[in-house]
Amino acid sequence: MKSNEIVERYLRGERDFRGLDLTAENLIGVTLNQANFSTSRLKEASLARAYLERCFLMDVNLNGAFLYGTNLSFSKLKGSYLIEADLTKANLQGAQLNGVDLTNAKLSGAILLSVNLFRANLTGVNLCGANLNGINLRSANLERANLNWTNLSGARLSGANLKGAQLNGVKLNGAFLNGLQLEGVDFSGLDLNDAKMSGAKLAGANLMGTALHAAQMRFSNLEGANLQEADLHESSLKGGQFVSVNLMKGDLRDADLRNADLSYANLNLADLSGADLTNANLQGAYLWGANLDGTCLKGANLTGASLRNAKLNGADLQDTILCGATLPNGRIY
């Protein structure tokens, strides 16, 4: 069926265009709002600046389609294929894109407010500078995606794959990153305030100077990570793995570090005032010049730790293990 036939039938009031073969058809600028194209073939079709608001496009082949500036707001595209499609400046507000394959698609400048991308394949997609505030990206594949300067504040990313993704300048404050595999990722200097990262795998990650105020990172693995000068004050780090981590000059004021493993961590000049380190493992940790004023070290293991020049005013040292530790005055306990 040709494009002119589609338009004529639409003007006569027809809306059911399911299962049609419209491969490489020219539909530039057409108005087909609320039409049903489910299971149709629109591969390499030209739909630039077309009006497809609230259309049904489920299980449609749109691979290589030209959708520049197309209005697809509130359309249903569940299970469709948009591999290498050009969606530059397209309006996808409120669209259902769950399970869609967008591998290598162009989405620069696209409107993605309230889009559902649950389990979508976004491998290699360019989302540079996109506003994805609060977007649903649970279990989505973002491998090698360009997320530079993207706003992912409050985004739901639990179960997503971010392997090899570009993350320069990305905003992740309040984002849901629970349980993600983020080993070796570079989050240095980013805004992760209030982020939910409990159970995340961040071993060897670079979080130098990262803002993590009030972040939820319970039982996360940050072994060998670089957190130098990171802001972690009031964060929940209970049960976390911080073995050999670099927290030099880190801000850990009032942080919850109960049962955390900080063995051999570098906490030199860190501010741990008011932090809760109950039953924490600080064996062999470096705490030179650290501020531990008012810190709870009840039951903590500081065997062999270095506390030279550390501040301990008002610290709770009940049942603290200090065997072989270097005290603030340089004396070995």
Side-chain angles (χ1 to χ4, degrees), residues 83-147:
I83 298 170
E84 296 185 349
D86 189 343
L87 288 149
T88 303
K89 295 187 178 180
N91 183 356
L92 290 158
Q93 180 178 353
Q96 293 182 18
L97 292 162
N98 37 317
V100 168
D101 192 340
L102 284 153
T103 301
N104 294 324
K106 297 176 182 177
L107 285 158
S108 181
I111 299 171
L112 294 160
L113 184 66
S114 303
V115 169
N116 184 355
L117 285 161
F118 173 62
R119 288 185 176 173
N121 185 0
L122 294 149
T123 303
V125 166
N126 181 9
L127 286 161
C128 181
N131 183 5
L132 303 175
N133 186 17
I135 198 168
N136 182 1
L137 283 161
R138 290 183 298 119
S139 301
N141 184 4
L142 288 153
E143 186 171 352
R144 302 191 313 278
N146 183 353
L147 297 170

Side-chain angles (χ1 to χ4, degrees), residues 34-281:
Q34 300 181 39
N36 189 348
F37 286 95
S38 295
T39 69
S40 293
R41 288 177 57 83
L42 285 155
K43 183 179 179 181
E44 298 179 0
S46 296
L47 290 150
R49 294 181 294 281
Y51 291 87
L52 301 172
E53 186 177 351
R54 300 185 186 277
C55 279
F56 291 86
L57 293 156
M58 294 175 288
D59 299 308
V60 171
N61 185 343
L62 282 155
N63 291 341
F66 185 48
L67 294 152
Y68 180 95
T70 304
N71 185 353
L72 286 156
S73 56
F74 303 102
S75 291
K76 296 174 175 62
L77 291 122
K78 181 180 178 181
S80 291
Y81 295 88
L82 288 130
I83 298 170
E84 296 185 349
D86 189 343
L87 288 149
T88 303
K89 295 187 178 180
N91 183 356
L92 290 158
Q93 180 178 353
Q96 293 182 18
L97 292 162
N98 37 317
V100 168
D101 192 340
L102 284 153
T103 301
N104 294 324
K106 297 176 182 177
L107 285 158
S108 181
I111 299 171
L112 294 160
L113 184 66
S114 303
V115 169
N116 184 355
L117 285 161
F118 173 62
R119 288 185 176 173
N121 185 0
L122 294 149
T123 303
V125 166
N126 181 9
L127 286 161
C128 181
N131 183 5
L132 303 175
N133 186 17
I135 198 168
N136 182 1
L137 283 161
R138 290 183 298 119
S139 301
N141 184 4
L142 288 153
E143 186 171 352
R144 302 191 313 278
N146 183 353
L147 297 170
N148 291 335
W149 312 109
T150 299
N151 180 7
L152 284 163
S153 302
R156 287 165 284 173
L157 286 151
S158 298
N161 176 15
L162 289 165
K163 184 177 180 180
Q166 299 175 49
L167 297 161
N168 295 322
V170 66
K171 292 182 180 180
L172 286 160
N173 53 298
F176 292 80
L177 301 157
N178 297 318
L180 289 195
Q181 302 280 342
L182 296 166
E183 289 91 344
V185 72
D186 188 356
F187 277 156
S188 56
L190 297 185
D191 182 356
L192 283 157
N193 290 326
D194 299 304
K196 283 73 176 174
M197 304 173 74
S198 294
K201 310 297 188 297
L202 288 151
N206 183 7
L207 293 149
M208 183 176 179
T210 300
L212 288 155
H213 167 57
Q216 299 293 319
M217 301 176 73
R218 290 175 297 127
F219 306 105
S220 292
N221 185 351
L222 289 108
E223 185 172 349
N226 181 9
L227 285 150
Q228 185 174 339
E229 298 186 30
D231 180 1
L232 288 151
H233 80 277
E234 297 181 346
S235 289
S236 178
L237 307 164
K238 181 181 178 181
Q241 296 293 315
F242 294 91
V243 179
S244 300
V245 74
N246 181 6
L247 276 160
M248 184 176 180
K249 294 184 179 180
D251 185 350
L252 291 150
R253 290 171 296 148
D254 302 310
D256 182 359
L257 285 154
R258 289 174 294 167
N259 301 304
D261 189 349
L262 289 147
S263 53
Y264 306 103
N266 179 358
L267 288 153
N268 291 336
L269 300 173
D271 190 347
L272 289 146
S273 56
D276 190 347
L277 286 151
T278 300
N279 296 322
N281 182 8

